[in-house]
């Protein structure tokens, strides 16, 4: 506790909780596994997967065939549900829901996505002239819009699926070490060896028991104690 010299009011400093403090002790291992999965999802995609669209300012993209293969490899089970489709100006749009079986939790979840594709008209005709629509134009545009919608869903998984290919402002992803119980245990053992001589007698036996029995529910408490010495 500190005192503001100008006002004489006591200032109480509180440390922000770690991520592990926000989880139930029994769910920390699950949270760590989810973090590992998210780390995998945020690896950069293979450069050979990435193409450029010369019709869209050379924006980068991953072809739908690779996206669908990745979905099969990562999730093993997934399905695409078309929620709705329609026309918008001179284009068709599709909204889909990507259902997937999460490999860590074993539970089904989903992401929604949207996609659109322009309806091609005869050369020289206005894009708004629906009377000049090419034969099979809608037949070609609708599956294309669906593919874009699926890719829009997959973007939510992370960089591996092309999420940040055309973004300048991004942030790297890393595993939160406060969720890694093995790393915390190793740190406790190291600090205990270093600080044995100054550990209070009332806490010594308690720390030894936690280390010997690997009592994960006490890791954070013991780590904070050792760091405070």
């Amino acid at each position: 506790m500190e005192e503001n010299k100008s006002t004489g009011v006591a200032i109480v400093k509180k440390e922000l909780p770690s991520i592990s403090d926000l989880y139930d002790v029994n769910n920390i291992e699950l949270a760590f596994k989810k973090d590992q999965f998210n780390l995998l999802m945020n690896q950069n995609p293979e450069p050979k997967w990435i193409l450029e669209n010369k019709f869209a300012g050379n924006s980068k993209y991953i072809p739908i065939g690779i996206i669908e293969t990745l979905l099969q490899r990562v999730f093993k089970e997934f399905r695409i549900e078309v929620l709705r489709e329609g026309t918008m100006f001179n284009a068709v749009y599709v909204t889909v829901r990507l259902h997937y079986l999460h490999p860590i939790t074993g539970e089904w979840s989903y992401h929604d996505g949207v996609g659109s594709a322009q309806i091609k008209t005869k050369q020289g005709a206005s894009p708004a002239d629906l009377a000049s629509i090419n034969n099979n134009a809608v037949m070609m545009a609708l599956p294309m819009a669906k593919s874009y919608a699926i890719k829009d869903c997959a973007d939510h998984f992370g960089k591996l699926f092309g999420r940040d290919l055309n973004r300048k402002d991004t942030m790297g992803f890393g595993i939160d070490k406060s969720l890694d119980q093995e790393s915390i245990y190793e740190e406790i053992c190291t600090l205990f060896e270093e600080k044995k001589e100054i550990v209070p007698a009332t806490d010594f036996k308690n720390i030894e028991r936690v280390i010997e029995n690997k009592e994960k529910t006490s890791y954070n408490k013991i780590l904070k104690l050792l760091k405070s010495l």
Side-chain angles (χ1 to χ4, degrees):
M1 182 181 294
E2 297 181 359
E3 182 178 298
N4 188 315
K5 294 181 179 180
S6 61
T7 63
V9 178
I11 301 174
V12 179
K13 286 190 175 181
K14 293 184 178 180
E15 292 186 3
L16 290 174
S18 65
I19 297 296
S20 62
D21 292 332
L22 305 179
Y23 282 89
D24 182 272
V25 173
N26 297 322
N27 290 329
I28 289 179
E29 287 189 21
L30 178 61
F32 179 64
K33 288 181 180 179
K34 288 181 179 179
D35 236 13
Q36 289 179 307
F37 175 77
N38 288 331
L39 181 63
L40 171 62
M41 292 298 96
N42 280 283
Q43 300 302 302
N44 289 322
E46 288 283 345
K48 62 183 179 182
W49 297 347
I50 303 171
L51 302 180
E52 290 187 353
N53 186 350
K54 62 181 181 180
F55 300 108
N58 292 324
S59 59
K60 297 177 181 179
Y61 72 98
I62 299 177
I64 184 62
I66 293 177
I67 294 294
E68 290 177 331
T69 301
L70 278 175
L71 289 171
Q72 289 177 326
R73 286 184 178 179
V74 173
F75 299 103
K76 309 307 180 187
E77 292 188 50
F78 76 95
R79 60 178 181 266
I80 304 298
E81 177 187 3
V82 177
L83 298 179
R84 56 187 171 274
E85 69 286 319
T87 58
M88 181 182 296
F89 304 108
N90 64 323
V92 294
Y93 71 87
V94 177
T95 301
V96 304
R97 177 164 289 172
L98 168 59
H99 299 266
Y100 62 94
L101 185 65
H102 200 290
I104 302 301
T105 65
E107 298 176 348
W108 281 93
S109 188
Y110 65 84
H111 290 155
D112 290 343
V114 295
S116 65
Q118 185 175 333
I119 299 173
K120 300 294 183 180
T121 55
K122 295 177 182 179
Q123 187 174 4
S126 168
D129 184 4
L130 299 183
S132 299
I133 293 176
N134 288 333
N135 292 335
N136 300 325
V138 175
M139 188 181 297
M140 294 176 63
L142 200 58
M144 191 180 301
K146 181 183 176 183
S147 294
Y148 291 148
I150 294 171
K151 291 165 67 175
D152 190 44
C153 292
D155 277 352
H156 294 295
F157 292 119
K159 292 182 178 181
L160 185 65
F161 285 86
R163 184 185 65 192
D164 294 337
L165 285 179
N166 297 294
R167 292 176 175 173
K168 293 182 179 180
D169 299 322
T170 62
M171 184 172 67
F173 182 88
I175 289 179
D176 193 306
K177 293 182 179 179
S178 69
L179 298 175
D180 186 351
Q181 297 294 284
E182 287 301 318
S183 295
I184 294 175
Y185 177 78
E186 291 174 6
E187 187 174 4
I188 288 173
C189 292
T190 300
L191 287 174
F192 186 52
E193 285 298 320
E194 293 175 352
K195 300 183 177 184
K196 273 185 175 180
E197 296 181 0
I198 60 173
V199 172
T202 53
D203 296 315
F204 198 94
K205 290 293 183 182
N206 185 38
I207 296 174
E208 279 190 324
R209 188 196 73 251
V210 169
I211 291 175
E212 182 179 351
N213 298 329
K214 291 190 174 183
E215 297 177 8
K216 295 180 180 180
T217 56
S218 300
Y219 281 2
N220 287 339
K221 179 180 178 182
I222 296 301
L223 184 60
K224 288 178 181 179
L225 171 63
L226 290 170
K227 285 184 174 181
S228 67
L229 297 177

